Amino acid sequence: MLQQKLQEIYDNAVKSFLSSKSRTELYDFKVKYMGKNGELTALMKSLVELPKEERPQFGQLVNEKKSDLELKYSEIESNLAKSELAEKIKNETVDLSMPGPFSDSGGRHPIDLVINEMIDILTRIGFSVRTGPMIEHDKYNFEALNFPKDHPARDMQDTFYIDDEHVLRTHTSPIQVRTLEKENLPLRILAPGSVFRCDSDITHSPNFYQVEGLWVDKKVSMAHLKGVIAFFVKSLFGEKMQIRFRPSFFPFTEPSAEVDCTCPICVGKGCRVCKNTGWIEIGGCGLVNPNVLKLSGVNPDEWQGFAFGFGVERMAMIRYGISDIRLFSENDLRFLEQF
Ligand code: FA5
């Protein structure tokens, strides 16, 4: 009785397999007959109805039929796969005139573009690039730049302290000292880099970029400094850009000055970006204080130098007419895609 049932299931399964038009249909039949709840599995469970001595022989028979069905299944499946592929290829046409898929491509950040332009201009007149660490020792960020401990001038820059001896560098000027300590003179270096101050409004950012310049030689004067800065600013912004030098104070330069450029937003008329002055401060500069040379092991009776430090975001604001410095760090693609 059970043998007859087994033969029936087997015959039906083979018939169903052969009639399948697709691999999905074939698989559904496999589940119907051979799956966990399939007919063959159910039959196996009814083995208990047979007398004990007949069970092994019947069990073996079910297994043989099952293996046979498995073989038939894989043979039919592989034939169906071949004909499905052939059908797909026959129906598929490639339209060579269709545009390819587009993917967004990255671009240079405006700050990066301006830094590269600044480097290009300064390397044309003999400066070469140096770098330094962002976590800086107090010695390089302050002390060797003639900011003694507890000197009120340290309050000029709101500092992020790492520990008693280390800070997030507040400016790129430490690279002046690092270079003077280990390189031969004369030298002309520029040092681009990220700097940090506890500072934030439309023209101040807590993390911004500076480009430092240092020129040390036997005879270097304020006239050389002004000439280099005028060349630099006019190369970057065009001949018509106005600049002015305002007397200022930095412990590491004497005399010192701030450099201002015409505000690009109001073109000198006065607006909220330039705080109604018509000018935007782009950097500080001056003749290297002899004390700094001495602290770096350079004889100030023999050598003189000038240095400058420009704020790159301010340069980029002028270059592209941008009225809020925070746009550079917000990562809004609608802003960044314009460059
Ligand atoms: C300095 O950092 C000096 N190390 C510059 C210098 C170098 C002077 C060599 C003399 C010789 P100051 O703190 O003024 O100076 O900063 C220089 C420039 O960085 C500023 O003129 C301004 O353009 C930019 N800057 C300063 N603070 C910020 C800020 N929070 N966000 C964006 N730009 C800033």
Side-chain angles (χ1 to χ4, degrees), residues 16-147:
S16 303
F17 285 1
L18 287 170
S19 73
S20 301
K21 302 258 171 329
S22 67
R23 279 189 294 167
T24 329
E25 200 182 338
L26 178 69
Y27 182 74
D28 289 343
F29 282 132
K30 185 183 184 189
V31 173
K32 178 173 180 228
Y33 294 107
M34 299 154 74
K36 235 182 8 195
N37 299 316
E39 294 182 18
L40 215 53
T41 320
L43 190 70
M44 198 63 161
K45 282 180 193 152
S46 50
L47 210 67
V48 284
E49 291 167 19
L50 285 175
K52 232 179 180 171
E53 59 285 1
E54 286 180 28
R55 286 181 200 166
Q57 200 194 354
F58 183 72
Q60 198 186 344
L61 197 60
V62 175
N63 283 335
E64 275 170 20
K65 292 287 184 201
K66 209 172 165 188
S67 313
D68 194 44
L69 282 177
E70 292 280 5
L71 268 176
K72 286 203 161 44
Y73 175 84
S74 6
E75 206 178 299
I76 295 170
E77 205 227 5
S78 121
N79 287 339
L80 280 173
K82 276 187 211 147
S83 51
E84 277 172 20
L85 181 67
E87 187 69 12
K88 198 170 166 218
I89 292 171
K90 201 173 93 191
N91 293 335
E92 239 173 36
T93 48
V94 179
D95 181 355
L96 295 176
S97 65
M98 260 173 72
F102 286 104
S103 60
D104 285 343
S105 58
R108 304 295 282 266
H109 192 280
I111 295 302
D112 196 38
L113 292 173
V114 171
I115 289 183
N116 282 339
E117 265 191 82
M118 293 168 84
I119 293 175
D120 270 359
I121 295 167
L122 289 168
T123 47
R124 264 190 265 149
I125 51 170
F127 286 80
S128 56
V129 176
R130 300 291 183 279
T131 54
M134 284 188 245
I135 294 179
E136 188 54 281
H137 200 282
D138 184 277
K139 170 187 160 190
Y140 291 105
N141 197 78
F142 291 126
E143 220 151 315
L145 285 167
N146 203 30
F147 286 92

Side-chain angles (χ1 to χ4, degrees), residues 103-111 113 320 322 327-328 330-339:
S103 60
D104 285 343
S105 58
R108 304 295 282 266
H109 192 280
I111 295 302
L113 292 173
Y320 300 117
I322 287 156
L327 286 165
F328 291 120
E330 278 169 357
N331 279 339
D332 185 335
L333 287 181
R334 288 168 304 175
F335 171 73
L336 295 175
E337 275 167 359
Q338 299 174 67
F339 299 94

Side-chain angles (χ1 to χ4, degrees), residues 82-227:
K82 276 187 211 147
S83 51
E84 277 172 20
L85 181 67
E87 187 69 12
K88 198 170 166 218
I89 292 171
K90 201 173 93 191
N91 293 335
E92 239 173 36
T93 48
V94 179
D95 181 355
L96 295 176
S97 65
M98 260 173 72
F102 286 104
S103 60
D104 285 343
S105 58
R108 304 295 282 266
H109 192 280
I111 295 302
D112 196 38
L113 292 173
V114 171
I115 289 183
N116 282 339
E117 265 191 82
M118 293 168 84
I119 293 175
D120 270 359
I121 295 167
L122 289 168
T123 47
R124 264 190 265 149
I125 51 170
F127 286 80
S128 56
V129 176
R130 300 291 183 279
T131 54
M134 284 188 245
I135 294 179
E136 188 54 281
H137 200 282
D138 184 277
K139 170 187 160 190
Y140 291 105
N141 197 78
F142 291 126
E143 220 151 315
L145 285 167
N146 203 30
F147 286 92
K149 276 214 157 62
D150 303 320
H151 191 280
R154 286 196 179 205
D155 298 340
M156 286 166 71
Q157 302 174 348
D158 280 323
T159 310
F160 292 112
Y161 282 87
I162 301 286
D163 57 34
D164 284 349
E165 295 195 326
H166 296 89
V167 298
L168 287 182
R169 69 178 173 201
T170 54
H171 52 175
T172 41
S173 301
I175 302 168
Q176 287 188 35
V177 182
R178 287 183 174 275
T179 311
L180 286 173
E181 272 185 355
K182 57 176 190 268
E183 293 196 20
N184 294 331
L185 301 176
L187 56 75
R188 255 177 268 183
I189 59 121
L190 76 114
S194 194
V195 302
F196 307 85
R197 291 183 201 176
C198 190
D199 217 355
S200 182
D201 62 35
I202 60 168
T203 54
H204 292 83
S205 167
N207 174 206
F208 61 102
Y209 286 82
Q210 288 188 336
V211 168
E212 190 84 8
L214 172 70
W215 181 320
V216 177
D217 211 324
K218 297 272 173 176
K219 276 193 164 42
V220 175
S221 71
M222 209 59 193
H224 293 113
L225 167 63
K226 288 181 82 174

